[in-house]
Amino acid sequence: MSTTLELPKLYSEAKDFMPLNGTDYLELYVSNSKQAAHFYKTAFGFQSYAYSGLETGNRDYESYVVIQDKIKLVLTSPLKSGTEVGKHIDKHGDGVKVIALWVDDATLAYNNAMERGARSYLKPITEEDENGKVVRSGIYTYGETVHIFVERKAYNGVFLPGYKSWETPHFNPAPVGLKFVDHMVGNVPLGEMNQWVQFYEDVMGFANILSFDDNDISTEYTALMSKVMSNGNGRIKFPINEPAEGKKKSQVDEYLDFYEAGGVQHIAVATDDIISTVRQLKSRGIEFLRVPDTYYDAVTDRVGKIDEDIAPLRELGILVDRDDEGYLLQIFTKPVEPRPTMFFEIIQRKGAQSFGKGNFKALFEAIEREQELRGTL
Ligand code: FE2
């Protein structure tokens, strides 16, 4: 099987019985929400936005919400032992629990999903405060990860009922130019990829717009397979990875070993100026994967003419790839928690709608060098 990219005409073929307006928020269960919020502000340029905890009457959890353009991260920790959040953190470490999707009707989205075979996480619930009401509902996806549908058309408050505005007048590091979530990748155990492809087709009305097999994604040691699922309007894209047999343990195997389940492997966030964004992120301490310098000797031959000078790309370690529609620039952070699990991708699209297939080999060899250091290859 070869790589096929047919965008955007396949979007119209997605059976769009579940219109999604976009990503609403991502909730990470973390072991220290207060310090995590500080990290996302200081290192990634997010802004203080909303808070829920003891001061808002929440006796169980503390959540900080940080924002950058359209991206909202909710960072949640338990305030006592024995909670669902605490158990989740104990098993998986820090990671993405909720991929929340913005809908016009959270009850309809839930009913549609349940009729089509979803597993319930949260029955539709209406939460209200003086600023209006929000309806939320939720279903499970891979591992213990969930989708929450958020209907907020009747709400004018900050974030959600139960949250208050979080302001930090004396500490507001500047944003770094992150705009929106471009795609989110899930890792699932061997043999489960097609099951989750089917789930997104049947339950969510997504279409499989792109596939990679182990001939596309393999190095001397590791291999993986991936299928990209997209919703009808193309705003939500979820590549699903599963390990393929390699000579040594693949990066997906390493993830599954440490997360102890399927889960979100990376969050790709878009920028309009990747050179500026990455320069700022590096100066704030974010660590990126690095490909060998020789990558840049051949890059112009491979991708042709691009608007950017190669020198800053080489200096910063930014990767380039081209498809039929244009090119893209991308770079990957190292994992952002103790376990080698979730990481971020920074991506700038200049026409290309694909995912950087031409970089897979160099990138995976860079990951293998990291795995070697961790003793997990
Ligand atoms: Fe990606």
Side-chain angles (χ1 to χ4, degrees):
M1 183 176 62
S2 65
T3 306
T4 51
L5 175 65
E6 296 184 43
L7 280 173
K9 77 173 185 271
L10 270 177
Y11 286 163
S12 58
E13 289 176 20
K15 297 166 280 299
D16 209 0
F17 49 79
M18 192 182 288
L20 302 172
N21 300 324
T23 308
D24 193 289
Y25 65 87
L26 305 175
E27 183 166 13
L28 282 68
Y29 285 177
V30 297
S31 40
N32 189 329
S33 56
K34 193 184 290 267
Q35 291 185 5
H38 194 75
F39 169 76
Y40 283 102
K41 286 178 62 180
T42 308
F44 273 101
F46 282 83
Q47 309 295 298
S48 305
Y49 185 57
Y51 169 83
S52 170
L54 293 172
E55 293 83 350
T56 65
N58 185 346
R59 312 301 296 177
D60 299 325
Y61 305 112
E62 180 185 69
S63 296
Y64 288 89
V65 189
V66 294
I67 189 167
Q68 190 161 182
D69 205 322
K70 293 191 171 61
I71 312 162
K72 289 188 206 112
L73 299 182
V74 183
L75 304 155
T76 297
S77 295
L79 291 168
K80 58 188 182 189
S81 63
T83 64
E84 288 308 308
V85 176
K87 288 178 201 161
H88 196 281
I89 294 166
D90 183 48
K91 182 167 172 65
H92 305 295
D94 288 10
V96 175
K97 173 64 177 183
V98 179
I99 302 170
L101 302 167
W102 173 31
V103 297
D104 291 333
D105 187 334
T107 308
L108 182 66
Y110 178 85
N111 290 340
N112 271 336
M114 292 303 292
E115 272 169 27
R116 292 163 189 271
R119 185 157 71 93
S120 178
Y121 173 69
L122 175 68
K123 286 184 182 160
I125 176 173
T126 302
E127 293 154 307
E128 286 184 70
D129 65 15
E130 66 277 12
N131 298 301
K133 65 174 185 177
V134 171
V135 186
R136 293 192 302 154
S137 62
I139 59 170
Y140 278 93
T141 176
Y142 44 74
E144 289 197 87
T145 314
V146 301
H147 290 307
I148 286 187
F149 303 114
V150 184
E151 172 189 331
R152 51 170 71 255
K153 58 180 183 280
Y155 194 65
N156 294 315
V158 62
F159 194 52
L160 295 172
Y163 284 78
K164 67 171 189 178
S165 178
W166 177 39
E167 286 167 16
T168 51
H170 303 294
F171 186 65
N172 294 297
V176 299
L178 303 178
K179 299 278 184 191
F180 58 88
V181 175
D182 183 276
H183 61 275
M184 291 185 73
V185 178
N187 281 342
V188 301
L190 184 63
E192 285 190 17
M193 178 178 67
N194 286 325
Q195 172 194 328
W196 291 107
V197 166
Q198 194 88 45
F199 166 86
Y200 279 105
E201 284 176 351
D202 294 350
V203 172
M204 306 277 288
F206 282 40
N208 176 207
I209 58 166
L210 195 55
S211 299
F212 306 100
D213 65 17
D214 49 347
N215 294 319
D216 297 315
I217 315 183
S218 66
T219 65
E220 191 184 345
Y221 294 120
T222 64
L224 65 89
M225 296 185 287
S226 187
K227 288 188 176 177
V228 182
M229 305 308 293
S230 171
N231 81 316
N233 60 22
R235 287 184 205 164
I236 313 283
K237 290 191 280 294
F238 294 144
I240 314 277
N241 294 339
E242 79 170 32
E245 226 162 279
K247 286 185 201 143
K248 292 193 178 179
K249 188 180 277 193
S250 83
Q251 49 167 304
V252 181
D253 290 312
E254 184 196 39
Y255 176 101
L256 295 167
D257 281 357
F258 279 91
Y259 201 67
E260 300 188 20
V264 172
Q265 179 213 41
H266 74 264
I267 303 170
V269 287
T271 169
D272 290 337
D273 185 349
I274 197 168
I275 291 173
S276 163
T277 296
V278 171
R279 202 182 288 286
Q280 292 177 72
L281 290 171
K282 282 198 148 183
S283 75
R284 293 161 177 229
I286 296 296
E287 294 185 306
F288 292 96
L289 288 175
R290 182 86 215 185
V291 298
D293 218 43
T294 50
Y295 172 93
Y296 295 94
D297 299 338
V299 76
T300 312
D301 289 344
R302 188 164 60 78
V303 300
K305 187 167 167 27
I306 59 172
D307 300 336
E308 294 73 15
D309 291 334
I310 298 299
L313 303 181
R314 183 193 290 259
E315 173 207 334
L316 296 166
I318 295 166
L319 310 176
V320 196
D321 197 28
R322 185 179 282 282
D323 64 24
D324 295 344
E325 295 171 287
Y327 68 96
L328 61 81
L329 303 141
Q330 63 186 169
I331 190 168
F332 298 83
T333 73
K334 294 183 182 181
V336 293
E337 56 285 302
R339 302 190 196 188
T341 51
M342 201 270 285
F343 57 90
F344 284 85
E345 172 182 355
I346 314 298
I347 184 166
Q348 182 179 6
R349 296 189 180 278
K350 295 199 135 177
Q353 293 302 314
S354 51
F355 295 85
K357 181 188 161 194
N359 291 323
F360 287 168
K361 190 168 165 46
L363 191 62
F364 295 162
E365 285 169 353
I367 292 174
E368 284 162 14
R369 285 191 293 277
E370 299 287 317
Q371 285 185 268
E372 193 89 69
L373 294 173
R374 292 193 282 260
T376 60
L377 187 61

